[in-house]
Amino acid sequence: MPIADTSDQLTEKCAVFGVCGTGLEAARLAFYGLWALQHRGQESSGIASTDGTELHRHGAVGLVANVYREEDFEQLPGHIAIGHNRYSTSGGEEASHVQPIADYELGFAFAHNGNLPDCSKLIVFLENHGIDTKALNDSGMMAAAIGYYLRKGDDVGTAIRKSYPLFTGVFSAVVIHGDKLVAFRDACGIRPLSIATLDGGYVVASETCAFDTIGAKFLRDVEPGEMVVIDKHGMTAEQLATPDPKLDIFEFVYFARPDSLLIGKRVNEVRKNFGREMAHEYHIEADVVVPVPDSGVPAAQGYAEASGIPFEMGLIKNRYIHRTFIRPTAELRAQDLKMKLNPVIEVIKDKRVIIVDDSIVRGTTQRKVVAMLFNAGAREVHVMISCPPVRYPDFYGINTPDPSELISARMSVEQTREYIGATSLNFLSFDGMINATGFPASRFSSSCFDGIYPIAIGSRAKQVLALPDMPPVESKKVTTSQKPHVRVS
Ligand code: AMP
């Protein structure tokens, strides 16, 4: 496998895209799809394409807009393509991490959104079959296992079916082999993956917003534990594992684009509901509700609507700066934030401001935002966060694997308030967040809030069990069922 990695580095939250249909210019469609999915990963991008005989690939470090030039599409012919945007942790920017992973000899390409926190079964399997795993990350190992069966002569559906039990973790994956496009998902469906139709062909994508961009019509989600195989004859579906649907609730909280549908719900509406729930939980005397753009906008609208306090865009975002969190080093992040946000003095000066954002992770953003608002003349700054405190590390594909970086794993709400310098700080309760989705809590993985990991996290469980116990943020509106504290499978 021509994939190289240097460590057990996590494969992080990313975007995947796939398209297959007679007559479609697949690579170009993948390009537009990846552009719509840029928010899920900004470190690198890649596309593999085929006409069913020969495999082609182009990928590089950088944004979608910078990675592809017109002439690259001449090198990406065919009616089948898969694509990937990568979001990486510190030090993960090298070209060797760029997906799709391609094996030209086999006519096989693979792209993965998610993370396998426990690769032990895969390592034993691959090493037993003479495949050196030292240079492979989790995605590389998944591809190597499927490749092993393809080399033995199995068709791609069989190769994935046989390798599937080796994959302990989170994956929404797309594959090309020969003239087939395949998409498959872990039994919990932690990361999203949806299917659409386009001109007699099919499209799969991490989020439905990618379908709108290319005029594809949303059909359904790839079900948790399901594999779909697409070729010129159509689509066949097969359940590879008993489904235990648990979408990562952080997709609703932060990651997905507001115009996407997740398990049939418009993300924008759920985020507005977060704000409405918060308004029912916390009554704050204030003059204006201001979102942190863009991630805080829908919740701030919901809060303003339900509280009757006027909504104003009191912070303006420079559109040409992308997500600060994703930048790998603290220095880059700090610099980015100053360039990214600027207050509108007239909205803020002498006002009691409610500032709404989607989440606090390290606390860096809120600390700077609060200081910025006081500098602009705010009398009071009340911070409203439209999810509970992020207290537990994520092992399923989000860039927060180190608990020492999570402010809420170390500090109480009051200590956090002091740290960010706000007049008050309030988090949406767990029950309020769940109510806002319209689904029961059991429909979600909410490990970053409750420490309950539905998919085995292997030796990483030690990190979680070492964390101090923190009292949950109780809803003042709904009865909170006593939630168990930490449970790791
Ligand atoms: P922080 O400054 O570390 O507290 O970052 C919090 C901000 O980063 C929030 O306002 C979110 O919009 C954003 N954010 C939260 N989680 C993530 C994540 N996993 N990846 C990228 N950005 C995030």
Side-chain angles (χ1 to χ4, degrees), residues 297-439:
V297 172
Q301 284 171 330
Y303 189 95
E305 178 203 291
S307 67
I309 303 171
F311 172 94
E312 289 254 26
M313 291 299 291
L315 286 173
I316 300 303
K317 182 178 163 190
N318 181 334
R319 281 162 201 255
Y320 305 97
I321 302 282
H322 27 274
R323 288 188 169 181
T324 49
F325 189 99
I326 295 176
R327 311 297 292 167
T329 67
E331 302 86 80
L332 278 172
R333 274 196 295 274
Q335 180 57 29
D336 273 1
L337 198 97
K338 272 191 242 151
M339 290 163 67
K340 183 168 139 180
L341 294 176
N342 200 33
V344 180
I345 301 291
E346 294 69 22
V347 175
I348 306 297
K349 196 167 168 13
D350 299 328
K351 304 275 176 55
R352 295 167 302 170
V353 178
I354 292 180
I355 182 91
V356 182
D357 203 0
D358 64 286
S359 59
I360 289 184
V361 180
R362 303 177 178 95
T364 325
T365 310
Q366 277 314 315
R367 197 173 190 203
K368 289 187 175 11
V369 164
V370 170
M372 195 177 267
L373 294 173
F374 277 125
N375 283 340
R379 258 171 57 210
E380 294 172 5
V381 177
H382 300 276
V383 176
M384 287 279 173
I385 301 297
S386 64
C387 71
V390 175
R391 292 201 163 129
Y392 300 96
D394 181 276
F395 302 107
Y396 296 154
I398 291 180
N399 184 11
T400 52
D402 184 353
S404 68
E405 292 193 34
L406 302 174
I407 192 168
S408 299
R410 293 179 282 117
M411 292 190 194
S412 66
V413 174
E414 175 52 21
Q415 286 167 329
T416 309
R417 183 202 64 74
E418 229 173 86
Y419 174 79
I420 65 173
T423 312
S424 73
L425 166 65
N426 287 299
F427 290 86
L428 178 61
S429 71
F430 186 89
D431 288 349
M433 172 179 72
I434 297 295
N435 278 349
T437 68
F439 289 101

Side-chain angles (χ1 to χ4, degrees), residues 62-131:
L63 296 173
V64 173
N66 305 329
V67 165
Y68 306 94
R69 293 157 306 159
E70 187 53 38
E71 52 268 36
D72 296 324
F73 293 99
E74 284 156 30
Q75 311 303 319
L76 290 169
H79 65 284
I80 308 172
I82 61 171
H84 185 267
N85 288 341
R86 179 182 163 84
Y87 156 128
S88 81
T89 51
S90 172
E93 265 192 78
E94 306 96 49
S96 60
H97 295 274
V98 177
Q99 293 191 30
I101 296 165
D103 186 318
Y104 298 101
E105 220 178 279
L106 285 174
F108 166 56
F110 173 88
H112 170 212
N113 170 201
N115 175 51
L116 305 191
D118 181 2
C119 292
S120 49
K121 271 199 258 175
L122 258 174
I123 292 171
V124 170
F125 172 84
L126 293 172
E127 297 283 343
N128 281 347
H129 290 93
I131 299 167

Side-chain angles (χ1 to χ4, degrees), residues 37-345:
L37 298 169
Q38 185 75 84
H39 62 290
R40 296 183 71 86
Q42 303 175 336
E43 296 297 343
S44 69
S45 185
I47 294 174
S49 75
T50 185
D51 59 0
T53 55
E54 208 182 333
L55 187 73
H56 310 269
R57 178 186 180 272
H58 174 79
V61 168
L63 296 173
V64 173
N66 305 329
V67 165
Y68 306 94
R69 293 157 306 159
E70 187 53 38
E71 52 268 36
D72 296 324
F73 293 99
E74 284 156 30
Q75 311 303 319
L76 290 169
H79 65 284
I80 308 172
I82 61 171
H84 185 267
N85 288 341
R86 179 182 163 84
Y87 156 128
S88 81
T89 51
S90 172
E93 265 192 78
E94 306 96 49
S96 60
H97 295 274
V98 177
Q99 293 191 30
I101 296 165
D103 186 318
Y104 298 101
E105 220 178 279
L106 285 174
F108 166 56
F110 173 88
H112 170 212
N113 170 201
N115 175 51
L116 305 191
D118 181 2
C119 292
S120 49
K121 271 199 258 175
L122 258 174
I123 292 171
V124 170
F125 172 84
L126 293 172
E127 297 283 343
N128 281 347
H129 290 93
I131 299 167
D132 185 4
T133 56
K134 278 196 245 10
L136 300 178
N137 66 3
D138 58 347
S139 308
M141 284 189 243
M142 290 174 82
I146 299 168
Y148 168 80
Y149 287 113
L150 291 176
R151 233 174 274 282
K152 290 247 154 212
D154 283 328
D155 64 72
V156 65
T158 308
I160 293 171
R161 193 180 309 113
K162 286 184 180 170
S163 331
Y164 195 93
L166 300 168
F167 304 155
T168 307
V170 170
F171 46 89
S172 281
V174 288
V175 166
I176 288 177
H177 180 243
D179 62 353
K180 291 189 168 42
L181 166 71
V182 186
F184 63 97
R185 222 171 153 199
D186 63 74
C188 291
I190 302 258
R191 297 281 150 244
L193 192 62
S194 301
I195 315 172
T197 52
L198 177 67
D199 298 338
Y202 290 92
V203 185
V204 289
S206 292
E207 284 182 43
T208 64
C209 63
F211 301 148
D212 303 335
T213 311
I214 57 169
K217 197 164 168 289
F218 172 70
L219 183 65
R220 66 176 179 87
D221 289 343
V222 176
E223 294 303 329
E226 188 185 39
M227 168 175 75
V228 297
V229 180
I230 298 160
D231 62 16
K232 61 174 183 293
H233 305 296
M235 181 173 82
T236 57
E238 180 183 339
Q239 202 64 39
L240 296 181
T242 311
D244 178 19
K246 289 192 185 302
L247 181 78
D248 184 348
I249 198 156
F250 213 72
E251 294 279 349
F252 272 122
V253 168
Y254 171 72
F255 233 90
R257 241 171 69 160
D259 51 338
S260 286
L261 284 171
L262 290 177
I263 41 177
K265 297 261 167 144
R266 190 69 64 192
V267 173
N268 188 59
E269 198 49 32
V270 170
R271 289 189 186 154
K272 276 189 173 172
N273 286 342
F274 290 154
R276 292 178 183 123
E277 290 282 337
M278 275 196 300
H280 295 133
E281 291 186 354
Y282 304 105
H283 299 278
I284 306 264
E285 295 287 319
D287 305 305
V288 64
V289 176
V290 172
V292 176
D294 297 315
S295 51
V297 172
Q301 284 171 330
Y303 189 95
E305 178 203 291
S307 67
I309 303 171
F311 172 94
E312 289 254 26
M313 291 299 291
L315 286 173
I316 300 303
K317 182 178 163 190
N318 181 334
R319 281 162 201 255
Y320 305 97
I321 302 282
H322 27 274
R323 288 188 169 181
T324 49
F325 189 99
I326 295 176
R327 311 297 292 167
T329 67
E331 302 86 80
L332 278 172
R333 274 196 295 274
Q335 180 57 29
D336 273 1
L337 198 97
K338 272 191 242 151
M339 290 163 67
K340 183 168 139 180
L341 294 176
N342 200 33
V344 180
I345 301 291

